[in-house]
Amino acid sequence: MKNLIMILLFVLSVSCNGQDNNMKDTPLVTVIKLQSSEALLNFDEAKQYMDIEKVFGENPESKKSPQEEWKEMVTFFYNLGGNKKFTNQFKYFDYNIAEIIKVSNAQVKFVAIDKDSHIKEIIYSLDKIKDRWKVTDMQYVN
């Protein structure tokens, strides 16, 4: 009986520990965490979810680095959120959301429910980098 209890405790311990260590964010969760951290101007947190070099690659017309371009854009939208007409909060309920996962890349699509919306789709492309999803491209479709 004592051996059976020990075996059960061991199996339970291994199965619980294995689940915690293998749990990774999905592409959708990665996008949500990116949006949230940017909305709070938490650049260190946001860097975990996006490959800034790929998304904001070198612009030959700009004298700024991709990091500077990104921070400037995020700060602009953050400051715009102080205006009564705009908000820093993403209204998920205004979109149909799809997550398409392949082996090492994925897409998260936000498709506007309102057909008259200025932006019809927002498409995030993600790549699996070191067992974590990272945003590598963003497209806005008018």
Side-chain angles (χ1 to χ4, degrees), residues 34-43 46 50 52 56 66-81 88 138:
L34 171 64
Q35 291 173 343
S36 176
S37 57
E38 286 183 336
L40 296 170
L41 290 184
N42 188 338
F43 296 113
M50 178 172 42
I52 297 165
F56 290 90
Q67 291 264 353
E68 292 170 322
E69 292 275 345
W70 168 63
K71 285 183 178 181
E72 189 175 289
M73 182 201 75
V74 170
T75 304
F76 171 78
F77 285 116
Y78 177 83
N79 291 333
L80 192 61
N88 288 337
M138 294 185 292

Side-chain angles (χ1 to χ4, degrees), residues 33 38 40 52 58 73 95-96 102 116 118 135 138:
K33 286 182 176 183
E38 286 183 336
L40 296 170
I52 297 165
E58 294 294 333
M73 182 201 75
Y95 296 88
N96 290 318
K102 296 184 180 168
D116 295 327
H118 178 67
V135 173
M138 294 185 292

Side-chain angles (χ1 to χ4, degrees), residues 121-132:
E121 278 185 73
I122 305 169
I123 304 167
Y124 291 85
S125 297
L126 299 94
D127 288 331
K128 194 174 259 190
I129 301 170
K130 296 181 183 175
D131 292 331
R132 297 193 80 191

Side-chain angles (χ1 to χ4, degrees), residues 19 36 39 55 83 88 103 116 122 133 142:
Q19 288 176 352
S36 176
V55 176
N83 185 321
N88 288 337
V103 176
D116 295 327
I122 305 169
W133 291 104
N142 295 332

Side-chain angles (χ1 to χ4, degrees), residues 10 12 29 52 57-58 62 66 77 83 90 98-99 104 108-109 111 120 127-128 130 133:
F10 174 75
L12 182 61
V29 171
I52 297 165
E58 294 294 333
S62 177
F77 285 116
N83 185 321
F90 191 82
E99 180 183 55
S104 61
V108 175
K109 292 183 179 186
V111 180
K120 306 287 186 222
D127 288 331
K128 194 174 259 190
K130 296 181 183 175
W133 291 104

Side-chain angles (χ1 to χ4, degrees), residues 9-23:
L9 287 174
F10 174 75
V11 170
L12 182 61
S13 170
V14 169
S15 66
C16 289
N17 287 338
Q19 288 176 352
D20 289 343
N21 292 336
N22 293 329
M23 195 168 134

